[in-house]
């Protein structure tokens, strides 16, 4: 991207990652309220991800964790979070940079964020560094709020040049509301 333009896509992506950070900070201070619970999908190949060799072997590219009742030692910093979870009764400490998060969901309120890698992170991948983007990396950023059919879904659309590529990815990796399939 030329230096004389404002990188709106990266700014929005960082703001959406800030939503994930804010939610986890709130959980750290107050616990998880009510029926809220979180599915967090992240790229296990991203720089800064900390997993045991066993988990890296089991999840070589992407992993989804659930934060609900049984997690411990949650820590949140500006650029990452850490948490202890049990996998087959084996406790594991995970370190997950916010830049590695690809999907954040709270199914209790029908909320999901699909997050892609930023242009800078994709450039690192192009240079042969360790970051390899997930299938969602090419997809536009999406925020799907809880809605009652009267609220529209929020989506940041791809630019005209990216429309064809984005359309291809939307067809293969689209988040769809279950309300669409319910009988009325």
């Amino acid at each position: 991207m030329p230096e004389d333009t404002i990188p709106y896509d990266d700014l929005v992506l960082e703001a959406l990652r800030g939503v994930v950070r804010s939610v986890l900070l709130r959980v750290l201070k107050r616990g998880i309220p009510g029926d809220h619970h979180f599915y967090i999908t992240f790229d296990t190949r991203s720089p800064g991800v900390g997993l045991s060799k066993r988990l890296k072997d089991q999840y070589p590219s992407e992993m989804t964790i659930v934060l609900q009742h049984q997690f411990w030692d949650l820590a949140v910093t500006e650029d990452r979070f850490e948490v202890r979870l049990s996998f087959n009764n084996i406790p594991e400490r995970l370190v997950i940079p916010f830049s590695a998060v690809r999907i954040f969901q709270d199914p209790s309120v029908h909320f999901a964020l699909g997050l892609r890698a930023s242009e800078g992170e994709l450039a690192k991948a192009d240079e042969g560094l360790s970051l390899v983007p997930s299938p969602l990396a090419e997809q536009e950023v999406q925020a799907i709020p809880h809605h009652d059919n009267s609220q529209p879904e929020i989506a940041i659309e791809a630019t005209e040049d990216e429309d064809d590529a984005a359309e291809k990815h939307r067809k293969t990796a689209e988040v769809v509301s279950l309300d669409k399939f319910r009988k009325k």
Side-chain angles (χ1 to χ4, degrees):
M1 178 176 281
E3 290 183 29
D4 62 342
T5 61
I6 298 172
Y8 287 108
D9 289 348
D10 289 346
L11 292 171
V12 170
L13 180 59
E14 187 57 34
L16 291 174
R17 287 177 177 163
V19 170
V20 177
R21 183 182 309 108
S22 294
V23 168
L24 294 178
L25 281 169
R26 185 176 288 222
V27 166
L28 182 62
K29 292 176 184 173
R30 303 178 190 154
I32 297 180
D35 292 330
H36 290 276
H37 56 287
F38 313 113
Y39 291 93
I40 302 172
T41 301
F42 61 98
D43 186 338
T44 59
R45 303 163 293 186
S46 288
V49 169
L51 297 174
S52 68
K53 180 178 177 351
R54 177 179 76 94
L55 288 178
K56 280 186 180 184
D57 290 345
Q58 192 171 357
Y59 302 97
S61 61
E62 197 169 77
M63 181 178 186
T64 298
I65 60 171
V66 178
L67 298 185
Q68 188 169 15
H69 300 298
Q70 296 185 350
F71 65 92
W72 304 270
D73 302 331
L74 177 64
V76 182
T77 67
E78 187 65 27
D79 64 339
R80 71 179 180 276
F81 69 98
E82 301 178 23
V83 66
R84 287 193 185 275
L85 296 167
S86 180
F87 297 89
N88 294 324
N89 294 319
I90 299 171
E92 298 274 359
R93 179 177 159 267
L94 286 75
V95 177
I96 304 167
F98 291 111
S99 61
V101 175
R102 296 296 173 251
I103 301 171
F104 177 84
Q105 300 176 68
D106 184 344
S108 70
V109 293
H110 309 288
F111 179 83
L113 293 174
L115 305 168
R116 59 169 174 72
S118 73
E119 286 186 24
E121 293 160 345
L122 290 173
K124 288 179 185 177
D126 289 341
E127 294 170 5
L129 298 177
S130 62
L131 173 71
V132 179
S134 73
L136 282 177
E138 299 291 323
Q139 188 177 6
E140 71 275 3
V141 177
Q142 295 181 355
I144 299 142
H146 171 66
H147 59 85
D148 59 3
N149 292 337
S150 64
Q151 291 179 320
E153 290 186 356
I154 299 170
I156 297 163
E157 297 296 327
T159 64
E160 289 179 4
D161 295 337
E162 299 169 329
D163 281 344
D164 293 338
E167 183 62 28
K168 175 184 167 192
H169 290 287
R170 274 194 290 274
K171 289 179 182 175
T172 60
E174 184 170 300
V175 179
V176 179
S177 171
L178 293 177
D179 292 340
K180 182 176 182 178
F181 299 101
R182 290 192 177 127
K183 292 181 181 180
K184 295 183 181 187

